[in-house]
Amino acid sequence: MIRSTNKEQNEYSLVKKPAHVKRVWEAVEASLPKYWEMFVAAEKEKTPGAKLAAKFGGTASAKEGGVVAQVFEDAVESYEKEAEKYRKFFDPAALDEYFDDPNAFKQGLARDVPVIANTLRNRSAELREWQMHFRASRPKDLLEVFTNVLDFRAEWSKEHPPTDYAKHDAPDEFSLDPLDGDETMSLVNVIGMGIKSIVLYYLDPERLPPRGRNGLYGLFFLSAKNHFDLPSKSSEFLMINDLSPTSDGSIIMDQNYWYPYGTFSVYAIRVFRWIHERSRASGFTVDPKMRYVYVDRFFESVCAHHVADLKTMRAHERFEVPA
């Protein structure tokens, strides 16, 4: 989508329509085998056997199931280490105590919540404006936003138990629109869907995918960079920032930070189902409770095959934004 016109052409409604979702998924599904094979091949090269064989001029043929099982096991282990920080900080009892001292909540966000802390430490010029807005934000507002998000998640989780959630297959079935549109669950220029989805993912990897860089750029490449006849003739997974060109006039192709979370969830859960089917054929195991850990790790591998493209799209120096 185009930054200057993205809200004027009804594209956010168009991308949710069944016929459009069908076209996009057909393109993604057609690309999955190719990117999966590249993912497996790249990981095979990292195995000890492959490294040893290369050293002596031979070849090693590790089996797909064993290789992928190890990659996903490592991904889950890494996820769990990070998730513990989010679980501890956003524990409901801990949040209640912060209402007596909202300043301590903001300080804790900046220190203990990785998606916030890492972004504050990042020295990228692109992030200076966000850092300024975060530092200027009122602690009470931050606390209220996150409390509302977590209250929504608690109620939503009851209405979408895992057995029902696993069957969802259309944007409206996920019932996640309030996270996108409810003003009480956002803070302009500070807390948007990228940060919210990452927090939610670390609290519930079974049902709430991280709608960050890996996922949106991953779907852009998996969908063959197609615009599927949107009025702007641009990919829905990108936000082409024509309002803020770089000093040399380059136009940044950001991930679409306003992409509907429910629609993103459709593609994320379908990618998981595809991976699950592959697991049956290849002999590795996936646990639905870690559904989006696998999906995000696969999206990461898709992006890894397009590092040069991403550097160009993000004008080189702007490749470090987490969400």
Coordinates of all heavy atoms in Angstrom, one line a residue, residues 110-189:
A110 N 10.6 0.0 29.8 CA 11.8 0.5 29.1 C 13.0 -0.4 29.5 O 13.9 -0.5 28.7 CB 12.1 1.9 29.5
R111 N 12.9 -1.1 30.6 CA 14.0 -1.9 31.1 C 13.8 -3.4 30.9 O 14.8 -4.1 30.5 CB 14.2 -1.6 32.6 CG 15.3 -2.4 33.2 CD 15.4 -2.2 34.8 NE 14.2 -2.7 35.4 CZ 13.3 -1.9 36.0 NH1 13.4 -0.6 36.2 NH2 12.2 -2.5 36.6
D112 N 12.6 -3.9 31.1 CA 12.4 -5.3 31.2 C 11.6 -6.0 30.0 O 11.5 -7.2 29.9 CB 11.6 -5.7 32.5 CG 12.4 -5.2 33.7 OD1 13.6 -5.3 33.7 OD2 11.7 -4.8 34.7
V113 N 11.0 -5.2 29.2 CA 10.2 -5.7 28.1 C 11.0 -5.6 26.8 O 11.2 -4.5 26.3 CB 8.8 -5.0 27.9 CG1 8.0 -5.6 26.7 CG2 8.0 -5.2 29.2
P114 N 11.5 -6.7 26.2 CA 12.5 -6.6 25.1 C 12.1 -5.8 23.9 O 12.9 -5.0 23.4 CB 12.7 -8.1 24.8 CG 12.4 -8.8 26.0 CD 11.3 -8.1 26.7
V115 N 10.8 -5.9 23.5 CA 10.4 -5.2 22.3 C 10.5 -3.7 22.5 O 10.8 -2.9 21.6 CB 9.0 -5.6 21.8 CG1 7.9 -5.1 22.8 CG2 8.8 -5.0 20.4
I116 N 10.3 -3.2 23.8 CA 10.4 -1.8 24.1 C 11.9 -1.5 24.4 O 12.5 -0.5 23.8 CB 9.6 -1.4 25.3 CG1 8.1 -1.8 25.1 CG2 9.8 0.0 25.7 CD1 7.4 -0.9 24.1
A117 N 12.5 -2.2 25.2 CA 13.9 -1.9 25.7 C 14.8 -1.9 24.5 O 15.7 -1.1 24.4 CB 14.3 -3.0 26.7
N118 N 14.7 -2.9 23.6 CA 15.6 -3.0 22.5 C 15.4 -1.9 21.5 O 16.4 -1.4 20.9 CB 15.4 -4.4 21.7 CG 15.9 -5.6 22.6 OD1 16.6 -5.4 23.6 ND2 15.4 -6.7 22.3
T119 N 14.2 -1.4 21.3 CA 13.9 -0.3 20.4 C 14.4 1.0 21.0 O 14.9 1.8 20.2 CB 12.4 -0.3 20.1 OG1 11.9 -1.5 19.7 CG2 12.1 0.7 19.0
L120 N 14.3 1.1 22.3 CA 14.9 2.3 22.9 C 16.4 2.4 22.8 O 17.0 3.5 22.6 CB 14.5 2.4 24.4 CG 13.0 2.8 24.7 CD1 12.7 2.6 26.1 CD2 12.8 4.3 24.3
R121 N 17.1 1.2 22.8 CA 18.5 1.2 22.7 C 19.0 1.3 21.3 O 20.2 1.7 21.1 CB 19.1 -0.1 23.4 CG 19.0 -0.1 24.9 CD 19.8 -1.3 25.4 NE 19.3 -2.6 25.0 CZ 18.5 -3.3 25.8 NH1 18.1 -2.8 27.0 NH2 18.0 -4.5 25.4
N122 N 18.2 1.0 20.4 CA 18.6 1.1 19.0 C 19.0 2.5 18.5 O 18.2 3.4 18.8 CB 17.5 0.5 18.1 CG 17.9 0.2 16.7 OD1 18.5 1.0 16.0 ND2 17.7 -1.1 16.3
R123 N 20.1 2.6 17.9 CA 20.6 4.0 17.5 C 20.2 4.3 16.0 O 20.7 5.3 15.5 CB 22.1 4.1 17.7 CG 22.5 3.9 19.1 CD 24.0 4.2 19.3 NE 24.4 4.2 20.7 CZ 25.6 4.5 21.2 NH1 26.5 4.9 20.3 NH2 25.8 4.4 22.5
S124 N 19.4 3.5 15.4 CA 18.9 3.8 14.1 C 18.2 5.2 14.0 O 17.4 5.5 14.9 CB 18.0 2.8 13.6 OG 17.4 3.1 12.4
A125 N 18.6 6.0 13.0 CA 17.9 7.3 12.8 C 16.4 7.2 12.7 O 15.7 8.0 13.1 CB 18.5 8.0 11.6
E126 N 16.0 6.1 12.1 CA 14.6 5.8 11.9 C 13.8 5.8 13.1 O 12.6 6.1 13.2 CB 14.4 4.5 11.1 CG 13.0 4.2 10.7 CD 12.9 2.9 10.0 OE1 13.8 2.0 10.2 OE2 11.9 2.7 9.3
L127 N 14.4 5.4 14.2 CA 13.7 5.1 15.5 C 13.7 6.4 16.4 O 13.1 6.3 17.5 CB 14.3 3.9 16.2 CG 14.1 2.6 15.5 CD1 14.8 1.5 16.2 CD2 12.6 2.3 15.3
R128 N 14.4 7.4 16.0 CA 14.5 8.5 16.9 C 13.2 9.2 17.3 O 12.9 9.6 18.4 CB 15.5 9.6 16.3 CG 16.9 9.2 16.4 CD 17.8 10.1 15.6 NE 19.2 9.6 15.5 CZ 20.1 10.1 14.7 NH1 19.7 11.1 13.8 NH2 21.3 9.5 14.6
E129 N 12.3 9.2 16.3 CA 11.0 9.9 16.5 C 10.2 9.0 17.4 O 9.6 9.5 18.4 CB 10.3 10.0 15.2 CG 8.9 10.8 15.3 CD 8.2 11.0 14.0 OE1 8.8 10.7 13.0 OE2 7.1 11.6 14.1
W130 N 10.2 7.7 17.2 CA 9.5 6.8 18.2 C 10.0 6.9 19.6 O 9.3 7.0 20.5 CB 9.5 5.3 17.7 CG 8.8 4.4 18.6 CD1 7.5 4.1 18.5 CD2 9.3 3.8 19.8 NE1 7.1 3.3 19.6 CE2 8.2 3.1 20.4 CE3 10.5 3.7 20.4 CZ2 8.4 2.3 21.6 CZ3 10.7 3.0 21.6 CH2 9.6 2.3 22.2
Q131 N 11.3 6.9 19.7 CA 12.0 7.0 21.0 C 11.6 8.3 21.7 O 11.3 8.3 22.9 CB 13.5 6.9 20.9 CG 14.0 5.6 20.4 CD 15.4 5.6 19.9 OE1 16.0 6.6 19.6 NE2 15.9 4.4 19.7
M132 N 11.5 9.4 20.9 CA 11.1 10.7 21.5 C 9.6 10.6 22.0 O 9.3 11.1 23.1 CB 11.2 11.8 20.4 CG 10.7 13.1 20.9 SD 10.7 14.3 19.5 CE 9.3 13.6 18.5
H133 N 8.7 10.0 21.2 CA 7.3 9.9 21.6 C 7.2 9.0 22.8 O 6.4 9.3 23.7 CB 6.5 9.3 20.4 CG 6.2 10.3 19.3 ND1 5.6 11.5 19.6 CD2 6.6 10.3 18.0 CE1 5.5 12.2 18.4 NE2 6.1 11.5 17.5
F134 N 7.9 7.9 22.9 CA 7.8 7.0 24.0 C 8.3 7.8 25.3 O 7.6 7.7 26.3 CB 8.7 5.8 23.9 CG 8.6 4.9 25.1 CD1 7.6 3.9 25.2 CD2 9.6 4.9 26.1 CE1 7.5 3.1 26.3 CE2 9.5 4.1 27.2 CZ 8.5 3.2 27.3
R135 N 9.4 8.5 25.2 CA 9.9 9.2 26.4 C 8.9 10.3 26.9 O 8.9 10.6 28.0 CB 11.3 9.7 26.1 CG 12.3 8.6 26.0 CD 13.7 9.1 25.8 NE 14.7 8.0 25.8 CZ 15.4 7.6 24.7 NH1 15.2 8.3 23.6 NH2 16.2 6.6 24.8
A136 N 8.2 10.8 25.9 CA 7.3 11.9 26.2 C 5.9 11.4 26.7 O 5.1 12.1 27.2 CB 7.1 12.8 25.0
S137 N 5.6 10.1 26.5 CA 4.3 9.5 26.8 C 4.1 9.5 28.3 O 5.0 9.4 29.1 CB 4.2 8.1 26.2 OG 5.2 7.3 26.8
R138 N 2.8 9.6 28.7 CA 2.5 9.6 30.1 C 2.4 8.2 30.6 O 1.8 7.3 30.0 CB 1.1 10.3 30.3 CG 1.1 11.7 29.9 CD -0.1 12.4 30.5 NE -1.4 11.7 30.1 CZ -2.5 12.0 30.6 NH1 -2.7 13.0 31.5 NH2 -3.6 11.3 30.3
P139 N 3.1 7.9 31.7 CA 3.1 6.5 32.3 C 1.7 6.0 32.5 O 1.4 4.8 32.2 CB 3.8 6.7 33.7 CG 4.7 7.9 33.4 CD 4.0 8.8 32.5
K140 N 0.7 6.8 32.9 CA -0.6 6.4 33.2 C -1.3 5.9 31.8 O -2.0 4.9 31.8 CB -1.4 7.5 33.7 CG -2.9 7.2 34.0 CD -3.6 8.4 34.7 CE -5.0 8.1 35.1 NZ -5.8 8.1 33.8
D141 N -1.0 6.6 30.7 CA -1.5 6.2 29.5 C -1.0 4.9 29.0 O -1.7 4.0 28.5 CB -1.2 7.3 28.4 CG -1.9 8.6 28.6 OD1 -3.0 8.6 29.4 OD2 -1.5 9.6 28.1
L142 N 0.3 4.7 29.2 CA 0.9 3.4 28.8 C 0.3 2.2 29.6 O 0.0 1.2 29.1 CB 2.4 3.4 29.1 CG 3.2 4.3 28.1 CD1 4.6 4.5 28.7 CD2 3.3 3.6 26.7
L143 N 0.1 2.5 30.9 CA -0.4 1.4 31.8 C -1.9 1.1 31.4 O -2.2 -0.1 31.3 CB -0.4 1.9 33.2 CG -1.0 0.9 34.3 CD1 -0.3 -0.4 34.2 CD2 -0.8 1.5 35.7
E144 N -2.6 2.1 31.0 CA -4.0 1.9 30.6 C -4.1 1.1 29.3 O -4.9 0.2 29.2 CB -4.8 3.2 30.5 CG -5.1 3.8 31.9 CD -5.8 5.2 31.8 OE1 -6.0 5.6 30.6 OE2 -6.2 5.7 32.8
V145 N -3.3 1.5 28.4 CA -3.3 0.8 27.1 C -3.0 -0.7 27.2 O -3.7 -1.6 26.7 CB -2.3 1.5 26.1 CG1 -2.0 0.5 24.9 CG2 -2.8 2.8 25.6
F146 N -1.9 -1.0 27.9 CA -1.5 -2.4 28.1 C -2.5 -3.2 28.9 O -2.8 -4.3 28.7 CB -0.1 -2.5 28.6 CG 1.0 -2.4 27.6 CD1 1.7 -1.2 27.5 CD2 1.2 -3.4 26.7 CE1 2.7 -1.1 26.5 CE2 2.2 -3.3 25.7 CZ 2.9 -2.1 25.6
T147 N -3.1 -2.5 29.9 CA -4.1 -3.2 30.7 C -5.3 -3.5 29.9 O -5.9 -4.6 30.0 CB -4.5 -2.3 31.9 OG1 -3.4 -2.0 32.8 CG2 -5.6 -2.9 32.7
N148 N -5.7 -2.6 29.0 CA -6.9 -2.8 28.1 C -6.6 -3.9 27.2 O -7.4 -4.8 26.9 CB -7.2 -1.5 27.4 CG -7.8 -0.5 28.3 OD1 -8.3 -0.8 29.4 ND2 -7.7 0.8 27.9
V149 N -5.4 -4.0 26.6 CA -5.0 -5.0 25.7 C -5.0 -6.4 26.4 O -5.6 -7.4 25.9 CB -3.6 -4.8 25.1 CG1 -3.0 -6.0 24.4 CG2 -3.6 -3.6 24.2
L150 N -4.5 -6.5 27.6 CA -4.5 -7.7 28.3 C -5.9 -8.1 28.8 O -6.2 -9.3 28.8 CB -3.5 -7.7 29.5 CG -2.0 -7.5 29.1 CD1 -1.2 -7.3 30.3 CD2 -1.6 -8.6 28.2
D151 N -6.7 -7.2 29.1 CA -8.1 -7.5 29.5 C -8.8 -8.0 28.3 O -9.6 -9.0 28.4 CB -8.8 -6.2 30.0 CG -8.4 -5.9 31.4 OD1 -7.8 -6.7 32.1 OD2 -8.7 -4.7 31.8
F152 N -8.6 -7.4 27.1 CA -9.2 -7.9 25.9 C -8.7 -9.4 25.6 O -9.5 -10.2 25.3 CB -8.8 -7.0 24.7 CG -9.2 -7.6 23.3 CD1 -10.4 -7.5 22.8 CD2 -8.2 -8.4 22.6 CE1 -10.8 -8.1 21.6 CE2 -8.6 -9.0 21.4 CZ -9.9 -8.8 20.9
R153 N -7.5 -9.6 25.8 CA -6.9 -10.9 25.5 C -7.5 -12.0 26.4 O -7.9 -13.1 26.0 CB -5.4 -10.9 25.7 CG -4.8 -12.3 25.5 CD -3.6 -12.5 26.4 NE -3.3 -13.9 26.5 CZ -2.6 -14.5 27.6 NH1 -2.3 -13.8 28.6 NH2 -2.4 -15.8 27.6
A154 N -7.7 -11.6 27.7 CA -8.3 -12.6 28.7 C -9.7 -12.9 28.2 O -10.1 -14.1 28.3 CB -8.3 -11.9 30.1
E155 N -10.5 -12.0 27.8 CA -11.9 -12.3 27.4 C -11.9 -13.0 26.1 O -12.7 -14.0 25.9 CB -12.7 -11.0 27.3 CG -14.2 -11.1 27.1 CD -14.9 -11.9 28.3 OE1 -14.4 -11.8 29.4 OE2 -15.8 -12.6 28.0
W156 N -11.1 -12.5 25.2 CA -11.0 -13.1 23.8 C -10.6 -14.6 24.0 O -11.1 -15.5 23.2 CB -10.0 -12.4 23.0 CG -9.8 -12.9 21.6 CD1 -10.5 -12.6 20.5 CD2 -8.8 -13.9 21.2 NE1 -10.0 -13.3 19.4 CE2 -8.9 -14.1 19.9 CE3 -7.8 -14.5 21.9 CZ2 -8.1 -15.0 19.2 CZ3 -6.9 -15.4 21.2 CH2 -7.1 -15.6 19.9
S157 N -9.7 -14.9 24.8 CA -9.2 -16.3 25.0 C -10.3 -17.2 25.4 O -10.4 -18.4 25.0 CB -8.1 -16.3 26.0 OG -7.0 -15.6 25.5
K158 N -11.2 -16.7 26.2 CA -12.4 -17.6 26.7 C -13.3 -17.8 25.5 O -13.9 -18.9 25.4 CB -13.2 -16.8 27.8 CG -12.4 -16.7 29.1 CD -13.2 -15.8 30.1 CE -12.4 -15.5 31.3 NZ -13.2 -14.6 32.2
E159 N -13.4 -16.9 24.6 CA -14.4 -17.0 23.5 C -13.8 -17.8 22.3 O -14.5 -18.2 21.4 CB -14.8 -15.6 23.0 CG -15.6 -14.8 24.1 CD -15.8 -13.4 23.7 OE1 -15.2 -12.9 22.7 OE2 -16.4 -12.6 24.5
H160 N -12.5 -17.9 22.3 CA -11.8 -18.6 21.3 C -10.8 -19.7 21.8 O -9.6 -19.6 21.7 CB -11.0 -17.6 20.4 CG -11.8 -16.6 19.7 ND1 -12.3 -16.7 18.5 CD2 -12.3 -15.4 20.2 CE1 -13.0 -15.7 18.1 NE2 -13.1 -14.9 19.2
P161 N -11.4 -20.7 22.5 CA -10.5 -21.8 23.0 C -9.7 -22.5 21.9 O -10.1 -22.4 20.7 CB -11.6 -22.7 23.6 CG -12.8 -22.5 22.9 CD -12.8 -21.0 22.6
P162 N -8.6 -23.1 22.3 CA -7.7 -23.6 21.2 C -8.4 -24.6 20.2 O -8.1 -24.5 19.1 CB -6.7 -24.4 22.1 CG -6.6 -23.6 23.3 CD -8.0 -23.1 23.6
T163 N -9.3 -25.4 20.7 CA -10.0 -26.3 19.8 C -10.8 -25.6 18.7 O -10.9 -26.0 17.6 CB -10.9 -27.3 20.5 OG1 -11.8 -26.6 21.4 CG2 -10.0 -28.3 21.4
D164 N -11.5 -24.5 19.1 CA -12.2 -23.7 18.2 C -11.3 -22.9 17.3 O -11.5 -22.8 16.1 CB -13.2 -22.8 18.9 CG -14.3 -23.5 19.6 OD1 -14.5 -24.7 19.3 OD2 -15.0 -22.9 20.4
Y165 N -10.3 -22.3 17.9 CA -9.4 -21.4 17.2 C -8.7 -22.2 16.1 O -8.5 -21.6 15.0 CB -8.3 -20.9 18.2 CG -7.2 -20.1 17.5 CD1 -7.4 -18.7 17.4 CD2 -6.1 -20.6 16.9 CE1 -6.5 -17.9 16.7 CE2 -5.2 -19.9 16.2 CZ -5.3 -18.5 16.1 OH -4.4 -17.7 15.5
A166 N -8.3 -23.4 16.3 CA -7.6 -24.2 15.3 C -8.4 -24.4 14.0 O -7.9 -24.7 12.9 CB -7.3 -25.6 15.8
K167 N -9.8 -24.1 14.0 CA -10.6 -24.2 12.9 C -10.9 -22.9 12.1 O -11.4 -22.9 11.1 CB -12.0 -24.8 13.3 CG -11.9 -26.2 13.9 CD -13.2 -26.7 14.5 CE -13.1 -27.9 15.3 NZ -14.4 -28.3 16.0
H168 N -10.4 -21.8 12.7 CA -10.7 -20.5 12.1 C -10.0 -20.4 10.8 O -8.9 -20.9 10.6 CB -10.1 -19.4 13.0 CG -10.9 -19.2 14.3 ND1 -12.1 -19.8 14.6 CD2 -10.6 -18.5 15.4 CE1 -12.5 -19.4 15.7 NE2 -11.6 -18.6 16.3
D169 N -10.7 -19.8 9.8 CA -10.1 -19.7 8.5 C -10.5 -18.5 7.7 O -10.4 -18.4 6.5 CB -10.5 -21.0 7.7 CG -9.5 -21.3 6.5 OD1 -8.3 -21.2 6.7 OD2 -10.0 -21.5 5.4
A170 N -11.1 -17.5 8.4 CA -11.5 -16.3 7.7 C -11.3 -15.1 8.7 O -11.3 -15.3 9.9 CB -13.0 -16.3 7.3
P171 N -10.9 -13.9 8.2 CA -10.6 -12.8 9.1 C -11.6 -12.6 10.2 O -11.2 -12.4 11.4 CB -10.5 -11.6 8.1 CG -10.1 -12.2 6.8 CD -10.8 -13.6 6.8
D172 N -12.9 -12.6 9.9 CA -13.8 -12.2 10.9 C -13.9 -13.3 12.0 O -14.3 -13.0 13.2 CB -15.2 -12.0 10.3 CG -15.3 -10.8 9.5 OD1 -14.4 -9.9 9.6 OD2 -16.2 -10.6 8.6
E173 N -13.6 -14.5 11.7 CA -13.7 -15.6 12.7 C -12.7 -15.4 13.8 O -12.9 -15.9 15.0 CB -13.4 -17.0 12.0 CG -14.5 -17.4 11.1 CD -14.2 -18.7 10.3 OE1 -13.1 -19.3 10.6 OE2 -15.0 -19.1 9.5
F174 N -11.6 -14.7 13.6 CA -10.6 -14.5 14.7 C -11.1 -13.4 15.6 O -10.6 -13.3 16.8 CB -9.3 -14.1 14.0 CG -8.6 -15.2 13.3 CD1 -8.9 -15.4 12.0 CD2 -7.7 -16.1 14.0 CE1 -8.3 -16.5 11.3 CE2 -7.1 -17.1 13.3 CZ -7.4 -17.3 12.0
S175 N -12.0 -12.5 15.2 CA -12.5 -11.5 16.1 C -11.5 -10.6 16.7 O -11.5 -10.2 17.9 CB -13.4 -12.1 17.2 OG -14.4 -12.9 16.7
L176 N -10.5 -10.2 15.9 CA -9.3 -9.5 16.5 C -9.4 -8.0 16.0 O -8.5 -7.2 16.4 CB -8.0 -10.1 16.0 CG -7.7 -11.5 16.6 CD1 -6.6 -12.1 15.9 CD2 -7.4 -11.3 18.1
D177 N -10.4 -7.6 15.4 CA -10.5 -6.2 14.9 C -10.4 -5.1 16.0 O -9.7 -4.1 15.8 CB -11.8 -5.9 14.2 CG -11.8 -6.6 12.8 OD1 -10.8 -7.1 12.4 OD2 -12.9 -6.5 12.1
P178 N -10.9 -5.4 17.2 CA -10.7 -4.4 18.3 C -9.2 -4.0 18.6 O -8.9 -2.9 18.9 CB -11.4 -5.0 19.5 CG -12.4 -5.9 18.9 CD -11.8 -6.5 17.7
L179 N -8.4 -5.0 18.4 CA -6.9 -4.7 18.7 C -6.4 -3.7 17.6 O -5.5 -2.9 17.9 CB -6.1 -6.0 18.6 CG -6.2 -6.9 19.8 CD1 -5.5 -8.3 19.5 CD2 -5.5 -6.3 21.0
D180 N -7.0 -3.7 16.4 CA -6.6 -2.8 15.4 C -7.2 -1.4 15.6 O -6.5 -0.4 15.4 CB -7.0 -3.3 14.0 CG -6.1 -4.5 13.5 OD1 -4.9 -4.4 13.7 OD2 -6.7 -5.5 13.0
G181 N -8.5 -1.4 15.9 CA -9.3 -0.2 15.8 C -9.7 0.5 17.1 O -10.0 1.7 17.1
D182 N -9.6 -0.2 18.2 CA -10.1 0.4 19.5 C -9.0 1.3 20.0 O -7.9 0.9 20.3 CB -10.3 -0.7 20.5 CG -11.0 -0.2 21.8 OD1 -10.7 0.9 22.2 OD2 -11.8 -1.0 22.4
E183 N -9.4 2.6 20.1 CA -8.4 3.6 20.5 C -7.9 3.5 21.9 O -6.8 4.0 22.3 CB -9.0 5.0 20.3 CG -9.3 5.4 18.9 CD -9.8 6.8 18.7 OE1 -10.1 7.5 19.8 OE2 -10.0 7.2 17.6
T184 N -8.7 2.8 22.8 CA -8.2 2.5 24.1 C -7.1 1.5 24.2 O -6.5 1.3 25.3 CB -9.4 2.1 25.0 OG1 -9.8 0.8 24.7 CG2 -10.5 3.1 24.9
M185 N -6.8 0.8 23.1 CA -5.8 -0.2 23.1 C -4.6 0.2 22.2 O -3.8 -0.7 21.8 CB -6.4 -1.6 22.6 CG -7.3 -2.2 23.7 SD -7.7 -3.9 23.3 CE -9.1 -3.7 22.2
S186 N -4.5 1.5 22.0 CA -3.3 2.0 21.2 C -2.9 3.3 21.8 O -3.7 4.0 22.4 CB -3.7 2.2 19.7 OG -4.0 0.9 19.1
L187 N -1.7 3.7 21.5 CA -1.2 5.0 21.9 C -0.5 5.6 20.7 O 0.5 5.0 20.2 CB -0.2 4.9 23.1 CG 0.1 6.2 23.8 CD1 -1.1 6.9 24.3 CD2 1.1 5.9 24.9
V188 N -1.1 6.6 20.1 CA -0.6 7.2 18.8 C 0.9 7.4 18.9 O 1.4 8.0 19.8 CB -1.4 8.5 18.5 CG1 -0.8 9.1 17.2 CG2 -2.9 8.2 18.3
N189 N 1.6 6.9 17.8 CA 3.0 7.1 17.6 C 3.9 6.3 18.7 O 5.1 6.4 18.6 CB 3.4 8.6 17.7 CG 2.8 9.4 16.6 OD1 2.7 8.9 15.4 ND2 2.4 10.6 16.9

